[in-house]
Amino acid sequence: MAYEVTATRRRPQRFEDLVGQEFVAATLKNSIQAGKIAHAYLFSGPRGCGKTSSARILAKALNCEKGPTAAPCGVCTVCQEITKGSNLDVIEIDGASNTSVNDIRQIKDEVLFPPNSCRYKIYIIDEVHMLSTSAFNALLKTIEEPPPYVIFIFATTELHKVPATIKSRCQQFNFRLVAVEQLKELLAQAATEINVQADPEALYWIAREATGSVRDAYTLFDQVASFSESHITYDKIRSKLGLVGVDILNQLCETFISQNAALALDLLDKILENGTSIEQFISNLTDYFRSLLLIKTGITREALLGQSAERYSSVALEKLNIPQLERGLSLLLDLYRDIRYSLNPRYEVDLAISRLCGLTSFVSNKEVQKMLEDTRKLLLGSNANQEQIPQSNFSSTESTPKANIPPNLAAQFAKFPSSQEESYPLSNGGAVPPEHRQPSFEFENEKVSLPEEPVSDSFFVSIPKQPDDSILNQEESSDEKKIIPLENLKDYVIKELSISHIVIASALIASESWDFSKEGFVQITVPSAFCLSQLQKEKDFLNKLFSSLTGRNLVIEPILKQQKPKEEITIPIQAELLCKMFKGSIVGVKKNESL
């Protein structure tokens, strides 16, 4: 006998042989047994999943000599003729090559005649979506009210291209993709039929490459079986088809983890020199990262991974976390899209490999946010909310609350001193002066002190509250009264207020002159309205403070510095005429120069 490909040899001949289409098979069998046979069917779904085979089985079930029956015998003359495609009453039409109205007119003429030897005259039209709009319109009346002995079966892979007027006149059946496990079982049966030994790993690879199509799986199986002789293995598939093996990918991924870009690029060059195409390498590496991501999330099914989970690198699974694997997978997917329009695809691959060598340093936005929050808790302490903070490895102090910072960033924070080692967060300068003490002042035989703001163990400078009357009522241990000369008053006040009242001190620092010429008054000239408002707001407090420090009654008068008016520049009429003529503009005028 002549050689027959596996897809043809193993074409389903009964409803029970339809793999993955149990809903379609059950519905058609029940309708035949109940005698409720429609005059038009529409089978839709991806390629190679059994649409045409189902149409032929339905034709045999309706025209079988023992029928109509849900289980055609397959041995009678009608069944054998339908299987061979030679029955005169079961007409198969290719919709892609018969798209015109004339082809449909021929069908309309033929349906007027009853079948020759069968019970029904059945028209099977493949790729029906290829018919023209006029052909569809010509077919509407025929499929809506055909003769009782005529049945139409349409098959299409693009259901959205079929007009709604056709869909509404047919019973629709949506065929599904076949699962990898089911395809693997079908391939194992095919290998047994031809006396070929096949490893499960190789069959899983073929099933995954078929992407749910039975016909694609059988076609690829025939190709693999032709060069594998009597034993199909994954190693033979990898070597013959130019695939990148998981062992090489494990080695490449470990170089990514060690951040050895030179070794990774050298390994890439060896892979491409062995005949692997750039597209195939990217595809295999992308599939490898996807498998690592699935294993990391707890999925170890061989049907999804394509091979055993034990074959993947334990170092990669241990060192790479889920965000880093997602980042690597995203880089490879973008790479596959970019090489289409790249100046040189090899350059794109080299760049991607170099970036993947820094994958272990990648930190997701969520991790950065958590790290900052934990660091803030570490520096501020837990006195406010008494939260329990997890321990960290980058600080040796036992009593300090520690944050859970990722290991790859812990070294960056090791240089910061802990609160136990330093007295202040900014010991070498900053807003807190080296000598931290509570300022005290004496007002009219009553010694008071300004409240001391607590120094937070943080890198954030907290702005103290503005002074109020309650500050002047606080008591402190008695000291000798100290009189400050007027020429030193500004420096002394700024020094004292900079400890606990930064806003007032900043306004006084910005002041340009202090005038004591007017008896009992201090005229303080400030450059901005903001400083003026701050001094006016705290005028009473500053009056008492100045009086206490100098031993005399002083009242401050904040004055805003007068701005010099801008000089008006007269532009000669000649310049204006030139601007209008050449559609220009004057951008500037030098001083002491005329236009």
Side-chain angles (χ1 to χ4, degrees), residues 88-101:
L88 297 178
D89 295 324
V90 178
I91 302 100
E92 293 192 30
I93 300 174
D94 180 19
S97 57
N98 298 274
T99 61
S100 64
V101 179

Side-chain angles (χ1 to χ4, degrees), residues 376-377 381-389:
R376 185 186 68 83
K377 292 178 182 179
S382 57
N383 296 329
N385 50 14
Q386 298 297 328
E387 293 183 359
Q388 185 67 26
I389 302 177

Side-chain angles (χ1 to χ4, degrees), residues 309-379:
E310 287 75 15
R311 296 198 59 182
Y312 292 89
S313 172
S314 58
V315 177
L317 293 173
E318 179 183 356
K319 298 294 184 181
L320 297 176
N321 54 30
I322 291 180
Q324 290 169 348
L325 291 173
E326 291 175 348
R327 172 65 174 173
L329 188 59
S330 177
L331 284 175
L332 292 172
L333 292 174
D334 292 339
L335 172 63
Y336 192 82
R337 287 189 289 264
D338 293 342
I339 60 174
R340 286 184 172 183
Y341 310 103
S342 175
L343 175 67
N344 191 323
R346 178 63 186 271
Y347 297 166
E348 298 283 350
V349 178
D350 291 343
L351 178 61
I353 293 297
S354 179
R355 289 175 176 174
L356 288 173
C357 288
L359 196 60
T360 52
S361 301
F362 173 76
V363 181
S364 65
N365 295 336
K366 184 177 180 180
E367 287 181 312
V368 173
Q369 182 180 5
K370 185 178 185 301
M371 181 270 297
L372 291 176
E373 181 64 22
D374 291 343
T375 306
R376 185 186 68 83
K377 292 178 182 179
L378 168 68
L379 299 173

Side-chain angles (χ1 to χ4, degrees), residues 288-301 304-305 309 316-318 320-326 329:
Y288 178 83
F289 268 86
R290 170 186 175 270
S291 299
L292 289 181
L293 182 61
L294 292 177
I295 296 174
K296 198 72 175 179
T297 55
I299 300 174
T300 57
R301 280 193 301 152
L304 282 177
L305 302 179
L317 293 173
E318 179 183 356
L320 297 176
N321 54 30
I322 291 180
Q324 290 169 348
L325 291 173
E326 291 175 348
L329 188 59

Side-chain angles (χ1 to χ4, degrees), residues 77-140:
T77 304
V78 175
C79 291
Q80 291 182 356
E81 288 178 349
I82 294 175
T83 302
K84 297 176 182 179
S86 58
N87 191 281
L88 297 178
D89 295 324
V90 178
I91 302 100
E92 293 192 30
I93 300 174
D94 180 19
S97 57
N98 298 274
T99 61
S100 64
V101 179
N102 294 331
D103 299 320
I104 300 303
R105 185 179 296 115
Q106 180 180 355
I107 295 176
K108 294 179 64 176
D109 295 339
E110 291 177 356
V111 298
L112 299 177
F113 302 96
N116 294 325
S117 58
C118 296
R119 195 174 294 107
Y120 293 96
K121 177 178 283 189
I122 300 176
Y123 287 90
I124 301 175
I125 304 179
D126 273 330
E127 303 300 328
V128 70
H129 64 274
M130 297 296 292
L131 295 180
S132 64
T133 303
S134 302
F136 273 125
N137 293 333
L139 194 60
L140 287 177

